[in-house]
Amino acid sequence: MKNKVGFFQKDSTRSVISSLIAIAIGLLVGFIIMLISQPDNALQGISILLTGGFRDGMSSLGNVLYLAVPVMMTGLSVAFAYKMGEFNIGVPGQYVVGAFVGLYVGIKWTFLPNSIAWLVAILLGGIAGAIWAFVPGILKAKCNVNVVISGIMMNYVGLLLVIQGVKSWLYESTGAQSQVISGARAIPNAGLDVIFPDSSANFGFIIACLLCVLAWVIMNKTTFGYELKATGFNKDAAKYAGMNETKNIILALVLAGFFAGCGGAIAYLGGTGKALQISEVLPAEGFNGIPVALLGLSNPIGCIFASLFIAYVNVGGSFVQNIFPIEIVDIITGVIVYFASFTLFIKLMFARRDAKREAKREAEELKARGGEQS
């Protein structure tokens, strides 16, 4: 039992170190880009980037919490499906469909009291995302269609349907975008506006964190979660043990879609004037969930911290724009996020190193025993 506990402690430590190394590499490369672009301002630029989340005090921290929510939920969606061994590239579509349904319910369902309208809108946005993920899930489970292919297809179908839906029901006549949620029906601030004044922080951050905790409980404390991980690790062995692979694939992707849909609804129900654009461009939050899941090592709790890091870098990047052109800032933040995705690779390198050391130690022990016998 002691060895088992030690193994898990060692694996957790290795995971944290891998994430920190990946972040450090990304920051180093970002600094090099600054040096190449504007050598005289590089030190000041990296300093602002690293301290940007605190630059305006609690206001900046509040914006970090606000920006973390969408990528936290899309990262959770990617991580949850990955535990099943599936790559949910359909997150952007699930996210934007959930955003549209959430906005529609929040704006058009006026029969709902303001006190619960936002909650119903988030729930139905999550259900919309779940329905959108059901299609790739059923195609994979019944027809063995690659989830990546069907997910990409559903992304663009969802985006185009949302654009048409905005034009038909939520169009804002003063611009090519949807209407925005009113303050009275938006997600409440729940006192966060007092803690983080002049920021966009709201109760959506608490909801996102609670959903991450819920996902962790499902993964680690339920029979379904055990079957999910077992099937993802070895489908043949799981099937031999009597686990229903078809059911697990569908449920895993549906739940992943639910998380993405909730993320979309929360992002647009925050009362910050955020609107769906009539543009055939998939939301960046959907794709940014991939490095969050990788940096968080597909752990729901890890996704909370990974999303906070990504949001922190983005807030810092907004201040760096005062020194560097916005294109350079986008490249730098993109590179940092990109290298954050190397966490799994670094962890694998540690694992291989430890395996070689263990093999060498066993060989030496075997050689020593042979010498004693002779």
Side-chain angles (χ1 to χ4, degrees):
M1 183 68 180
K2 184 178 179 181
N3 291 336
K4 185 177 181 181
V5 172
F7 169 78
F8 284 115
Q9 289 176 342
K10 184 178 181 180
D11 187 66
S12 299
T13 302
R14 183 192 297 157
S15 299
V16 173
I17 293 174
S18 299
S19 297
L20 293 176
I21 291 175
I23 290 171
I25 293 173
L27 291 172
L28 177 61
V29 175
F31 178 62
I32 292 172
I33 294 173
M34 289 182 181
L35 281 173
I36 296 172
S37 174
Q38 295 183 26
D40 295 338
N41 295 326
L43 284 174
Q44 184 184 4
I46 195 68
S47 175
I48 293 174
L49 184 67
L50 292 174
T51 60
F54 300 97
R55 194 168 182 82
D56 287 339
M58 300 303 285
S59 174
S60 294
L61 282 176
N63 288 327
V64 169
L65 300 185
Y66 171 74
L67 293 176
V69 172
V71 291
M72 186 190 303
M73 297 308 300
T74 55
L76 176 62
S77 179
V78 174
F80 199 90
Y82 187 75
K83 285 296 183 182
M84 182 65 203
E86 303 295 344
F87 182 37
N88 185 20
I89 195 67
V91 170
Q94 297 151 21
Y95 176 88
V96 75
V97 167
F100 171 77
V101 171
L103 267 182
Y104 180 84
V105 172
I107 294 172
K108 295 296 184 180
W109 285 20
T110 54
F111 58 86
L112 289 173
N114 292 348
S115 58
I116 64 168
W118 60 273
L119 188 58
V120 175
I122 292 173
L123 179 61
L124 292 181
I127 292 174
I131 293 172
W132 213 248
F134 175 78
V135 177
I138 196 72
L139 288 175
K140 173 64 179 180
K142 296 295 186 180
C143 307
N144 199 30
V145 175
N146 192 296
V147 170
V148 173
I149 296 174
S150 57
I152 292 173
M153 174 193 72
M154 294 299 289
N155 281 344
Y156 288 99
V157 172
L159 176 64
L160 294 173
L161 284 177
V162 165
I163 290 174
Q164 186 58 44
V166 168
K167 290 179 178 179
S168 301
W169 297 300
L170 296 177
Y171 188 70
E172 174 58 61
S173 58
T174 59
Q177 62 181 31
S178 71
Q179 300 170 25
V180 299
I181 194 73
S182 65
R185 298 176 69 82
I187 298 173
N189 293 322
L192 292 179
D193 56 328
V194 177
I195 302 173
F196 306 101
D198 301 320
S199 74
S200 301
N202 57 57
F203 191 65
F205 178 76
I206 306 299
I207 296 174
C209 289
L210 290 175
L211 287 172
C212 286
V213 173
L214 174 63
W216 184 88
V217 171
I218 292 173
M219 283 185 182
N220 296 284
K221 302 296 181 180
T222 67
T223 302
F224 168 66
Y226 173 79
E227 292 185 359
L228 188 76
K229 292 185 287 187
T231 306
F233 185 74
N234 191 320
K235 293 183 179 181
D236 293 330
K239 187 176 181 180
Y240 181 77
M243 299 177 188
N244 191 329
E245 181 185 357
T246 299
K247 179 195 74 174
N248 289 339
I249 289 174
I250 295 174
L251 285 178
L253 286 170
V254 165
L255 282 171
F258 176 80
F259 294 133
C262 285
I266 293 171
Y268 287 84
L269 291 170
T272 57
K274 189 170 184 177
L276 285 166
Q277 303 298 314
I278 301 179
S279 173
E280 295 183 17
V281 178
L282 289 167
E285 294 91 342
F287 295 110
N288 288 341
I290 297 172
V292 167
L294 293 173
L295 187 60
L297 295 167
S298 298
N299 185 309
I301 306 302
C303 288
I304 296 176
F305 296 102
S307 65
L308 287 171
F309 167 73
I310 299 298
Y312 187 92
V313 169
N314 286 327
V315 170
S318 66
F319 290 110
V320 177
Q321 292 178 20
N322 296 326
I323 302 174
F324 288 84
I326 187 172
E327 293 81 9
I328 297 297
V329 175
D330 288 342
I331 291 173
I332 292 168
T333 54
V335 163
I336 292 172
V337 171
Y338 174 78
F339 276 96
S341 305
F342 277 48
T343 301
L344 201 59
F345 173 73
I346 296 171
K347 184 181 178 183
L348 181 61
M349 289 178 61
F350 278 131
R352 288 179 176 176
R353 184 203 62 182
D354 292 346
K356 288 181 180 179
R357 287 181 177 178
E358 183 67 20
K360 184 179 179 180
R361 185 185 63 80
E362 290 178 355
E364 290 175 350
E365 289 180 356
L366 186 61
K367 184 178 180 180
R369 291 196 196 105
E372 289 176 358
Q373 292 176 357
S374 60

